[in-house]
Amino acid sequence: MNHRELSMLMIGLLVTSLVTGIVAADPPRPGTEDNGLTENESSTLWSRDADTYISQEEYSQRYGDERTAIHQLANGTDITFKRPPATAATWTRNDFEDLEAGGSDTSVYPPHASLEDGVFIEDAHATVFAVQPSTRGHLESGDTPLYIAPNGTMRGFVDYRVRIPNGSSSGNKTVEWSLTNDEIEEVRLKKNEKTIARTDGSHTPAINYRIDDDWSATLSLEAEIHARLKKTIRIDRGNGTDVTVVYRTESHNVSDSVDVEIYDLSAYPYYAEYPDGDAGVAIFQSRPWQGYTLTDEGNASVRGVWRFYTARNTNWDTLFRSDRTDSATVQSDAIPVYVHAYPSRIGPRAEPVRDGPELIDTWGTDRSSPVGTIGENINIDIINEAYTTTYGVAVRAQNVDREALNVAGIVRGVNASIVEPDAGSERQLRRSNLSVEVIQQNQSQATLRVELRDNQTDAPIALDDSRQYPIGGSTRSGYITIADQRVETNASGVAIVTIDEPGIYTARYHPGSWLGHTPAYVSDSATARWHPLGTIDGWFALLFEVGWQLIPFFVMFYAGKRLLRMLGPEDIFDSNP
């Protein structure tokens, strides 16, 4: 290999190494950094890493260490959660301390930073590092809001470099420049252009905030950078030197913003008591939420369609370091991690599974699958078809402690305030009385009369199953199934059904949710039998049909008998040879 080929190979290896470092940017190996998490906890953070599984033996040979069971599992897949974990915020808070700015002549910034230049201040930026507690919601394509807690912390990164002009010398005149002072004077947090918090100047500000009575907002991190330079002019007069000092100052504001949804929950409960003593409870909330517990011990609970994973913000995988003459890419020592909420194929669940609450109804907004918003290297059980957001969930349980109801949101630490609905939260729940009878029949079909009435007052129950939402409205949803048909009763509580096959027919009332009705009803069933032989006409028809079918046999029998009489035995059998 000649010198030129060797040089080209070295350049190729250098470029490959640089590109690999930039693209791969693998997160730290669990257990190797002191970030407030155990190895098990930190191994669950990296849902955007490449799930390239290696065996325990290979791992031990490569790193000289053993993995925990959770670490081994996370090496081959991504781990999801029933509720938003605290690990993302813990990691981010501790890792943020490793973020270091450059000196006055060097600016450090992530690739997505918005850089600004002034006269002396260059490559200046203020970039949002993380806002927490928060959860990135994956609702559908094009709709991935960042939900933040009403009380939280915004962390940011501010840096810049100061360009000092070159000195000059011409004849008896000499000009020199020097930096006397540079600083970040103040950092402000704004909500929709209004300052809501501020702190002293810092390259790594962490600003606590509180936002009340707001639905959505644009949060801006704004920093004011100040630099003061000294310009010294010397003029040689032969017998002396004249010195003039001029100070030049520059202030520059830089900012970054993020659109957020202020996640402040208010939940609306509805209650009912079943005739057998069971309790019904439903919770409605107009935003995605996690679920609720039914007792003070918290061992009976229900959750909606949402599950959670944690993943790093890949914008911070690498940083640029720029000075007056060059810019280089370096691996970032600080990586923010966020919680993400997604609709799971597992769907709504009530726990304990066997003897816990019974999930009786869910409702919400129909949305398309958000699978396209997840990104690469994330292996989760996200639903890949249209789904319902489960803004409301209703259950039936043996025990419900209304004082202990706890409604948890998809943002860690945010629980809903329980608000009594304007129309009241109590719902009457009564028994229904369903009956079915045969009112008309013939040999080919029968007509059934199905009647549904209030078991307590005997008032007719009229049904209209065209309702879309379970809360409110004047019509009563629900339907009756019989003979593979789905029918609704009229204003008299009656439905007419025609059948053409004999058999035993069971009618069952499927009441709509008790949430929108007072009173509401529980299910009931009734049975009717029909067979054509159950009527005189049926027997007559049967005999007629049987007789009609036997006519050919009677004709053949009669013809054979007459033939025997005409021929006689001697004509048929001749005993003479």
Side-chain angles (χ1 to χ4, degrees), residues 356-388:
E358 176 189 356
L359 190 64
I360 61 172
D361 201 3
T362 63
W363 70 96
T365 302
D366 294 333
R367 290 183 176 269
S368 59
S369 170
V371 65
T373 69
I374 297 300
E376 298 180 352
N377 294 329
I378 296 182
N379 300 309
I380 55 176
D381 59 328
I382 187 170
I383 195 166
N384 54 12
E385 57 189 15
Y387 73 101
T388 303

Side-chain angles (χ1 to χ4, degrees), residues 336-530:
V337 178
Y338 277 90
V339 176
H340 295 252
Y342 69 96
S344 168
R345 289 194 299 267
I346 297 176
R349 284 291 184 271
E351 297 176 347
V353 176
R354 294 186 178 180
D355 56 352
E358 176 189 356
L359 190 64
I360 61 172
D361 201 3
T362 63
W363 70 96
T365 302
D366 294 333
R367 290 183 176 269
S368 59
S369 170
V371 65
T373 69
I374 297 300
E376 298 180 352
N377 294 329
I378 296 182
N379 300 309
I380 55 176
D381 59 328
I382 187 170
I383 195 166
N384 54 12
E385 57 189 15
Y387 73 101
T388 303
T389 53
T390 58
Y391 290 151
V393 180
V395 297
R396 176 177 180 173
Q398 292 183 350
N399 298 304
V400 173
D401 185 353
R402 299 186 184 185
E403 299 299 324
L405 280 179
N406 182 52
V407 181
I410 64 169
V411 175
R412 180 185 58 84
V414 178
N415 296 324
S417 302
I418 304 297
V419 178
E420 187 77 11
D422 294 337
S425 60
E426 295 292 340
R427 294 290 184 267
Q428 295 183 40
L429 194 53
R430 301 178 184 173
R431 295 187 187 277
S432 60
N433 188 352
L434 182 66
S435 62
V436 57
E437 61 176 334
V438 180
I439 60 173
Q440 187 177 354
Q441 57 184 327
N442 55 38
Q443 64 271 18
S444 61
Q445 64 180 21
T447 300
L448 304 181
R449 182 178 187 273
V450 182
E451 186 174 10
L452 181 64
R453 307 188 78 85
D454 186 312
N455 192 65
Q456 179 177 330
T457 66
D458 202 38
I461 301 175
L463 301 179
D464 178 5
D465 198 41
S466 62
R467 294 182 58 194
Q468 298 296 317
Y469 302 100
I471 294 180
S474 58
T475 59
R476 180 175 300 282
S477 62
Y479 59 92
I480 295 171
T481 55
I482 185 171
D484 295 327
Q485 300 181 52
R486 179 167 165 163
V487 298
E488 300 166 5
T489 56
N490 58 20
S492 300
V494 175
I496 303 299
V497 179
T498 300
I499 56 176
D500 55 12
E501 292 289 339
I504 300 174
Y505 290 88
T506 298
R508 181 170 296 279
Y509 170 38
H510 303 266
S513 170
W514 48 260
L515 301 174
H517 309 107
T518 299
Y521 297 96
V522 294
S523 180
D524 194 22
S525 62
T527 301
R529 299 170 180 265
W530 173 70

Side-chain angles (χ1 to χ4, degrees), residues 147 215 264-268 284-289 365 389 391-392:
Y147 296 102
W215 185 266
D264 192 5
L265 291 182
S266 295
Y268 302 87
F284 172 77
Q285 215 289 127
S286 58
R287 282 181 163 182
W289 52 288
T365 302
T389 53
Y391 290 151

Side-chain angles (χ1 to χ4, degrees), residues 43 73 123 151 154 192 215 269 376 404 424 477 498 501 503 506 553:
S43 64
L73 176 64
D123 291 339
N151 300 318
M154 172 180 277
N192 299 335
W215 185 266
E376 298 180 352
S477 62
T498 300
E501 292 289 339
T506 298
F553 296 98

Side-chain angles (χ1 to χ4, degrees), residues 22 52 80 116 161-162 180 182 204 236 356 361 402 450 470 489 514 536 556:
I22 295 174
T52 306
T80 60
E116 296 187 19
R161 64 183 178 88
V162 179
T180 61
D182 67 288
T204 53
D236 186 3
D361 201 3
R402 299 186 184 185
V450 182
T489 56
W514 48 260
I536 295 177
M556 292 179 61

